[in-house]
PDB file of all heavy atoms in Angstrom:
ATOM      1  N   ILE B  67      25.140   7.253  23.060  1.00  0.00           N
ATOM      2  CA  ILE B  67      25.752   6.024  23.555  1.00  0.00           C
ATOM      3  C   ILE B  67      26.273   6.220  24.976  1.00  0.00           C
ATOM      4  O   ILE B  67      26.109   5.360  25.839  1.00  0.00           O
ATOM      5  CB  ILE B  67      26.889   5.579  22.611  1.00  0.00           C
ATOM      6  CG1 ILE B  67      26.290   5.100  21.285  1.00  0.00           C
ATOM      7  CG2 ILE B  67      27.726   4.481  23.248  1.00  0.00           C
ATOM      8  CD1 ILE B  67      27.305   4.854  20.194  1.00  0.00           C
ATOM      9  N   ALA B  68      26.875   7.370  25.225  1.00  0.00           N
ATOM     10  CA  ALA B  68      27.414   7.650  26.563  1.00  0.00           C
ATOM     11  C   ALA B  68      26.294   7.636  27.604  1.00  0.00           C
ATOM     12  O   ALA B  68      26.428   7.020  28.671  1.00  0.00           O
ATOM     13  CB  ALA B  68      28.125   9.001  26.566  1.00  0.00           C
ATOM     14  N   GLU B  69      25.182   8.282  27.282  1.00  0.00           N
ATOM     15  CA  GLU B  69      24.062   8.313  28.232  1.00  0.00           C
ATOM     16  C   GLU B  69      23.468   6.924  28.420  1.00  0.00           C
ATOM     17  O   GLU B  69      23.094   6.533  29.529  1.00  0.00           O
ATOM     18  CB  GLU B  69      22.977   9.280  27.725  1.00  0.00           C
ATOM     19  CG  GLU B  69      23.388  10.734  27.822  1.00  0.00           C
ATOM     20  CD  GLU B  69      22.332  11.674  27.234  1.00  0.00           C
ATOM     21  OE1 GLU B  69      21.269  11.194  26.804  1.00  0.00           O
ATOM     22  OE2 GLU B  69      22.600  12.898  27.204  1.00  0.00           O
ATOM     23  N   ASP B  70      23.398   6.206  27.333  1.00  0.00           N
ATOM     24  CA  ASP B  70      22.883   4.843  27.348  1.00  0.00           C
ATOM     25  C   ASP B  70      23.713   3.965  28.283  1.00  0.00           C
ATOM     26  O   ASP B  70      23.179   3.236  29.128  1.00  0.00           O
ATOM     27  CB  ASP B  70      22.946   4.306  25.919  1.00  0.00           C
ATOM     28  CG  ASP B  70      22.164   3.028  25.749  1.00  0.00           C
ATOM     29  OD1 ASP B  70      20.930   3.090  25.785  1.00  0.00           O
ATOM     30  OD2 ASP B  70      22.801   1.966  25.608  1.00  0.00           O
ATOM     31  N   GLU B  71      25.019   4.071  28.168  1.00  0.00           N
ATOM     32  CA  GLU B  71      25.917   3.285  29.005  1.00  0.00           C
ATOM     33  C   GLU B  71      25.741   3.643  30.474  1.00  0.00           C
ATOM     34  O   GLU B  71      25.764   2.783  31.346  1.00  0.00           O
ATOM     35  CB  GLU B  71      27.378   3.516  28.578  1.00  0.00           C
ATOM     36  CG  GLU B  71      27.730   2.934  27.216  1.00  0.00           C
ATOM     37  CD  GLU B  71      27.735   1.409  27.214  1.00  0.00           C
ATOM     38  OE1 GLU B  71      28.144   0.820  28.223  1.00  0.00           O
ATOM     39  OE2 GLU B  71      27.289   0.827  26.208  1.00  0.00           O
ATOM     40  N   GLU B  72      25.560   4.942  30.709  1.00  0.00           N
ATOM     41  CA  GLU B  72      25.343   5.391  32.089  1.00  0.00           C
ATOM     42  C   GLU B  72      24.128   4.718  32.708  1.00  0.00           C
ATOM     43  O   GLU B  72      24.162   4.277  33.856  1.00  0.00           O
ATOM     44  CB  GLU B  72      25.118   6.910  32.107  1.00  0.00           C
ATOM     45  CG  GLU B  72      26.306   7.721  32.558  1.00  0.00           C
ATOM     46  CD  GLU B  72      25.979   9.206  32.550  1.00  0.00           C
ATOM     47  OE1 GLU B  72      24.969   9.594  33.174  1.00  0.00           O
ATOM     48  OE2 GLU B  72      26.721   9.965  31.898  1.00  0.00           O
ATOM     49  N   VAL B  73      23.058   4.658  31.938  1.00  0.00           N
ATOM     50  CA  VAL B  73      21.823   4.032  32.436  1.00  0.00           C
ATOM     51  C   VAL B  73      22.079   2.580  32.810  1.00  0.00           C
ATOM     52  O   VAL B  73      21.704   2.120  33.898  1.00  0.00           O
ATOM     53  CB  VAL B  73      20.707   4.113  31.375  1.00  0.00           C
ATOM     54  CG1 VAL B  73      19.498   3.270  31.790  1.00  0.00           C
ATOM     55  CG2 VAL B  73      20.285   5.556  31.157  1.00  0.00           C
ATOM     56  N   TYR B  74      22.727   1.849  31.908  1.00  0.00           N
ATOM     57  CA  TYR B  74      23.027   0.447  32.172  1.00  0.00           C
ATOM     58  C   TYR B  74      23.924   0.300  33.392  1.00  0.00           C
ATOM     59  O   TYR B  74      23.716  -0.563  34.245  1.00  0.00           O
ATOM     60  CB  TYR B  74      23.702  -0.207  30.965  1.00  0.00           C
ATOM     61  CG  TYR B  74      22.765  -0.479  29.825  1.00  0.00           C
ATOM     62  CD1 TYR B  74      23.185  -0.350  28.512  1.00  0.00           C
ATOM     63  CD2 TYR B  74      21.452  -0.887  30.051  1.00  0.00           C
ATOM     64  CE1 TYR B  74      22.329  -0.604  27.456  1.00  0.00           C
ATOM     65  CE2 TYR B  74      20.590  -1.144  28.999  1.00  0.00           C
ATOM     66  CZ  TYR B  74      21.034  -0.997  27.711  1.00  0.00           C
ATOM     67  OH  TYR B  74      20.190  -1.254  26.660  1.00  0.00           O
ATOM     68  N   ASP B  75      24.942   1.159  33.496  1.00  0.00           N
ATOM     69  CA  ASP B  75      25.843   1.100  34.646  1.00  0.00           C
ATOM     70  C   ASP B  75      25.067   1.248  35.944  1.00  0.00           C
ATOM     71  O   ASP B  75      25.247   0.482  36.887  1.00  0.00           O
ATOM     72  CB  ASP B  75      26.898   2.221  34.553  1.00  0.00           C
ATOM     73  CG  ASP B  75      28.014   1.875  33.573  1.00  0.00           C
ATOM     74  OD1 ASP B  75      28.142   0.683  33.233  1.00  0.00           O
ATOM     75  OD2 ASP B  75      28.742   2.790  33.154  1.00  0.00           O
ATOM     76  N   GLN B 139      30.131  -3.142  22.706  1.00  0.00           N
ATOM     77  CA  GLN B 139      30.166  -2.759  24.113  1.00  0.00           C
ATOM     78  C   GLN B 139      28.999  -3.412  24.869  1.00  0.00           C
ATOM     79  O   GLN B 139      29.170  -3.921  25.973  1.00  0.00           O
ATOM     80  CB  GLN B 139      30.088  -1.228  24.234  1.00  0.00           C
ATOM     81  CG  GLN B 139      30.159  -0.690  25.651  1.00  0.00           C
ATOM     82  CD  GLN B 139      31.438  -1.115  26.352  1.00  0.00           C
ATOM     83  OE1 GLN B 139      32.500  -1.164  25.746  1.00  0.00           O
ATOM     84  NE2 GLN B 139      31.326  -1.442  27.637  1.00  0.00           N
ATOM     85  N   ARG B 143      29.286  -6.141  27.931  1.00  0.00           N
ATOM     86  CA  ARG B 143      28.608  -5.922  29.201  1.00  0.00           C
ATOM     87  C   ARG B 143      27.790  -7.148  29.614  1.00  0.00           C
ATOM     88  O   ARG B 143      27.948  -7.675  30.716  1.00  0.00           O
ATOM     89  CB  ARG B 143      27.683  -4.711  29.104  1.00  0.00           C
ATOM     90  CG  ARG B 143      26.798  -4.497  30.323  1.00  0.00           C
ATOM     91  CD  ARG B 143      25.770  -3.414  30.060  1.00  0.00           C
ATOM     92  NE  ARG B 143      26.388  -2.128  29.808  1.00  0.00           N
ATOM     93  CZ  ARG B 143      26.839  -1.317  30.762  1.00  0.00           C
ATOM     94  NH1 ARG B 143      26.748  -1.680  32.028  1.00  0.00           N
ATOM     95  NH2 ARG B 143      27.354  -0.153  30.450  1.00  0.00           N
TER      96      ARG B 143
END
Side-chain angles (χ1 to χ4, degrees):
Chain B
I67 290 170
E69 289 176 3
D70 193 71
E71 291 291 324
E72 257 180 53
V73 171
Y74 286 144
D75 282 343
Q139 182 58 38
R143 173 189 297 280

